[in-house]
Amino acid sequence: MGKRLGVMGGTFDPIHYGHLVTAEEALHQFELDEVVFVPTGQPWMKEHEVVSPPEDRYLMTVIATASNPRFSVSRVEVDREGPTYTIDTLRAMKELSGGDLFFITGADAVLEIFQWKDPSELFEMAHFIAATRPGYDIAALEEQVPGHDGISNMSIPALAISSTDIRARVARGQPIRYLVPEGVVSYVGKVGLYR
Ligand code: NAP
């Protein structure tokens, strides 16, 4: 019997408690066996933004998830050359696990899903779980992807924490302790990210 596998896609620059709560809630709500975090390699829709090196984002994700036996981290996108496409990742995961796939990510990313590579095949490969922040306008998601039964919403209060805010806090010299796991605080300081 194949497993019910959560695939948690994100840039994770840096990973924070909102992401960890999202993955744990998806495990519970969708009765998943495990969640594999997949940090993006080269996010193709962010060509004009500065994104931290994939290896740093991968290592922070490993540090943040290490204590949870049902979480793991995949290098599949970090090691793949060229732009990161979710369809390639889902094909690789399907081959490895053979089970049902649940792709978990932020609702803002899911809003653009029809601009991703091979959108119709995406829905054949996985069920999509769109995590929303407090105050998120779910109607916008439903309008953009009307009646799509391949997408579920999950409201996550802890997503009041955001990677953008964390990067800005580090740049301003403000603390990020308790927004990200302790090991991630140390890693950001040691490598000098976001200064
Ligand atoms: P993003 O634009 O950085 O994030 C969009 C929003 O979603 C942000 O508010 C972000 O908050 C939140 N978010 C991102 N990942 C999340 C997660 N796993 N759980 C909860 N919230 C999350 O999006 P992105 O990181 O570039 O892309 C998200 C995923 O979609 C990635 O796996 C990416 O590869 C995939 N994607 C694929 C294609 C394609 O195949 N062509 C195109 C675009 C995106 P934070 O900043 O706090 O994380």
Side-chain angles (χ1 to χ4, degrees):
M1 273 276 286
K3 287 185 172 174
R4 289 169 70 81
L5 184 69
V7 180
M8 176 80 167
T11 306
F12 303 130
D13 193 17
I15 188 163
H16 54 65
Y17 278 121
H19 297 130
L20 296 169
V21 171
T22 299
E24 185 67 19
E25 188 60 24
L27 263 179
H28 172 72
Q29 280 193 28
F30 293 85
E31 300 179 338
L32 307 180
D33 293 294
E34 52 186 286
V35 175
V36 183
F37 286 65
V38 187
T40 56
Q42 185 186 326
W44 73 278
M45 286 171 122
K46 292 190 173 183
E47 278 164 355
H48 305 294
E49 290 175 42
V50 178
V51 179
S52 301
E55 206 60 41
D56 287 327
R57 295 183 287 102
Y58 168 77
L59 286 174
M60 288 190 285
T61 308
V62 170
I63 291 166
T65 54
S67 64
N68 189 324
R70 293 213 277 169
F71 288 174
S72 61
V73 187
S74 167
R75 292 189 61 91
V76 69
E77 293 191 357
V78 169
D79 289 342
R80 197 164 57 222
E81 293 198 355
T84 291
Y85 297 120
T86 297
I87 191 67
D88 298 333
T89 303
L90 291 176
R91 284 181 190 136
M93 292 287 171
K94 193 82 179 176
E95 214 174 292
L96 272 177
S97 98
D100 294 333
L101 301 183
F102 295 77
F103 189 80
I104 312 154
T105 196
D108 283 337
V110 174
L111 263 182
E112 296 175 341
I113 202 162
F114 291 109
Q115 296 166 40
W116 296 10
K117 194 176 163 214
D118 300 337
S120 53
E121 196 189 336
L122 282 171
F123 289 111
E124 286 165 22
M125 299 287 288
H127 185 78
F128 283 75
I129 303 175
T132 59
R133 298 201 139 87
Y136 186 87
D137 180 10
I138 300 247
L141 183 62
E142 276 160 6
E143 213 171 278
Q144 194 105 349
V145 279
H148 211 297
D149 56 12
I151 303 176
S152 303
N153 302 321
M154 205 172 56
S155 167
I156 306 290
L159 279 178
I161 302 172
S162 91
S163 299
T164 307
D165 177 53
I166 290 167
R167 294 193 300 273
R169 291 182 70 84
V170 174
R172 291 192 297 256
Q174 293 172 318
I176 59 168
R177 178 159 287 143
Y178 309 127
L179 298 173
V180 302
E182 198 64 34
V184 175
V185 179
S186 305
Y187 190 91
V188 168
K190 180 174 155 183
V191 176
L193 296 175
Y194 317 129
R195 292 218 186 110

